[in-house]
Amino acid sequence: MKNIRKQFPVLNHYIYADTATAGLLYDGLFDWRQEHDLDVLIGGKKLNAKLAKIVADTRGTVAQFFNCNLENVALVPNFSIGFNLLLEGVGKQEKVLLIKGDYPSLTWPFKSRGHSVSYLEITANLEEQIYEKVKSEKIGILALSLVQWLNGFKIDLEFLKTLKRDFPGLIIIADGTQFCGTQAFNFKDSGIDVLGVSGYKWLLGGYGNGCVLFADGVADRFNCATIGFNSARGNLEGRDQITFANRFEPGHLDSTSFGSLNHSLKFLLGIGLDVVNEQVVKLSKLAFAEFGNLGLLQSELLEREYHSTIFNLSLGEKQYAKLMQHRVLCAQRGDGIRLSFHFYNTENEIEEIVDLLK
């Protein structure tokens, strides 16, 4: 891991505890982007086929990374755009269940379209509450983040499988932006119907790229009218053969942005998602114990068996200024200070933060 850290110049100057805001740029991706732009500068229009292949290769890498059928992968500039396109095809008769305080790009689109929405508060037994709510109120759509952006609350992935098994008519829509890139994830076996991800955080893809994955058969529950020439892959006769996923790609996609995502997914696969997750789990357990001992974590988190590497500490402006003064890059979110750690962080960095807070 020490050699991998050398790829990230920011780590030479700061303790970067803010991947929940944006993942770091690294040397390998920087080099790839420079080479790509130089090719475009010199090659011009001759490169059109090559640039199209970059996007196609990205789609294939996404399918491999998440174990999703290739024809069910849509490339989108970010989660928010993909999600709004999806909801254009959702009937308002569906009862929707959301988590209070979840990411606004997940909750606001339902409210702006006038859907009937119920909310659940985050508690230690959130999964039990969801199950009972779906059962008692005949919920049609459950939409939630796999990891909550404010405090790092992580949903039990096995629970989602059980929920889908017991309520096969329920549509489960998940935002994986604060989760994907921290461990291996088998979409086909997840119980999730629609997974949306922005690539600029834990996937290290930079801005302007993301994906939406669809389970087989989920298209029957949506009526998506979005369309464009790129949806037919430039085939003038192909308008009536457009797949559901292709409707989310109506126009040309940026080869730089999606090539960056492709490069970073391969970078993570090269490290090994098991290696990434091993380090993430170590950091999560250490930070959870240390911050918990300082009395800085919310009570609903302390009763959970597992947690992500995102923590919202009950601290104010003074402590935030102190952390920033000591080169700890973090964020103010909600009523506290949010710290988030990826595989390129170390236990020593967490201990240094704890010493500062003490």
Side-chain angles (χ1 to χ4, degrees):
M1 197 61 69
K2 184 180 295 185
N3 290 333
I4 295 173
R5 276 177 57 89
K6 293 179 181 178
Q7 285 263 345
F8 299 88
V10 169
L11 302 180
N12 295 325
H13 309 285
Y14 301 95
I15 295 177
Y16 190 76
D18 203 17
T19 300
T21 296
L24 289 175
L25 178 63
Y26 56 98
D27 288 339
L29 179 55
F30 179 74
D31 292 341
W32 179 87
R33 287 183 175 182
Q34 283 192 311
E35 182 178 344
H36 171 274
D37 288 350
L38 185 60
D39 285 345
V40 174
L41 179 68
I42 297 174
K45 189 175 180 180
K46 295 179 181 179
L47 279 179
N48 283 355
K50 182 178 180 180
L51 300 183
K53 185 178 184 300
I54 289 174
V55 174
D57 287 347
T58 302
R59 194 177 294 107
T61 304
V62 168
Q64 174 193 355
F65 192 91
F66 293 108
N67 190 29
C68 177
N69 291 333
L70 181 63
E71 63 271 18
N72 292 341
V73 174
L75 300 181
V76 293
N78 51 60
F79 167 83
S80 301
I81 289 177
F83 189 53
N84 275 275
L85 292 177
L86 177 72
L87 292 196
E88 285 301 298
V90 176
K92 293 183 180 179
Q93 72 277 7
E94 300 279 7
K95 290 185 177 180
V96 180
L97 180 60
L98 304 173
I99 308 304
K100 192 171 183 181
D102 210 332
Y103 195 57
S105 288
L106 185 69
T107 59
W108 289 355
F110 284 109
K111 294 298 291 182
S112 70
R113 288 169 173 81
H115 288 280
S116 174
V117 176
S118 298
Y119 293 90
L120 285 175
E121 297 274 358
I122 292 181
T123 60
N125 65 339
L126 177 61
E127 288 84 358
E128 295 176 23
Q129 289 191 68
I130 292 174
Y131 193 97
E132 290 304 317
K133 193 81 168 179
V134 171
K135 181 180 179 180
S136 63
E137 297 192 11
K138 296 182 179 179
I139 299 295
I141 297 175
L142 168 66
L144 79 173
S145 295
L146 298 182
V147 171
Q148 292 294 314
W149 70 299
L150 284 176
N151 63 2
F153 184 102
K154 183 178 180 180
I155 199 73
D156 182 355
L157 298 179
E158 290 298 318
F159 162 74
L160 294 180
K161 294 183 188 179
T162 301
L163 189 67
K164 185 64 180 180
R165 181 198 66 204
D166 292 353
F167 304 97
L170 174 70
I171 297 175
I172 300 178
I173 303 174
D175 178 0
T177 301
Q178 295 290 14
F179 163 76
C180 294
T182 62
Q183 67 180 71
F185 183 73
N186 187 338
F187 177 72
K188 289 183 182 178
D189 190 43
S190 67
I192 296 170
D193 294 292
V194 181
L195 175 70
V197 187
S198 287
Y200 68 97
K201 297 181 187 286
W202 308 88
L203 293 176
L204 309 181
Y207 290 96
N209 59 67
C211 61
V212 184
L213 314 181
F214 304 100
D216 289 335
V218 73
D220 297 335
R221 298 287 297 275
F222 296 90
N223 182 25
C224 186
T226 304
I227 196 169
F229 197 29
N230 192 64
S231 299
R233 301 294 185 254
N235 178 11
L236 280 171
E237 307 301 323
R239 188 187 67 179
D240 297 326
Q241 289 80 44
I242 294 172
T243 67
F244 184 72
N246 284 2
R247 289 187 174 275
F248 290 76
E249 302 178 11
H252 291 297
L253 297 171
D254 179 17
S255 61
T256 304
S257 294
F258 287 98
S260 296
L261 177 62
N262 188 37
H263 188 90
S264 288
L265 293 181
K266 290 179 178 179
F267 175 63
L268 292 171
L269 289 171
I271 296 171
L273 290 173
D274 55 339
V275 175
V276 169
N277 185 240
E278 181 181 0
Q279 180 66 5
V280 165
V281 169
K282 282 182 184 178
L283 298 172
S284 175
K285 289 181 178 179
L286 175 62
F288 191 88
E290 293 286 6
F291 297 148
N293 288 338
L294 292 176
L296 299 177
L297 297 180
Q298 297 80 15
S299 59
E300 62 267 21
L301 301 182
L302 296 174
E303 301 174 36
R304 301 279 291 180
E305 294 182 16
Y306 38 79
H307 190 74
S308 68
T309 55
I310 300 175
F311 300 87
N312 197 310
L313 308 186
S314 301
L315 297 168
E317 183 71 36
K318 182 178 179 180
Q319 290 87 351
Y320 175 72
K322 180 178 181 181
L323 289 172
M324 295 293 283
Q325 181 183 354
H326 286 81
R327 300 178 297 105
V328 179
L329 301 184
C330 51
Q332 291 178 295
R333 292 290 185 272
D335 297 326
I337 299 172
R338 189 183 68 185
L339 299 170
S340 50
F341 307 100
H342 207 355
F343 68 93
Y344 42 61
N345 291 113
T346 67
E347 288 105 319
N348 287 339
E349 288 177 331
I350 291 177
E351 295 290 2
E352 187 173 339
I353 291 171
V354 170
D355 288 341
L356 285 172
L357 296 177
K358 285 180 179 179

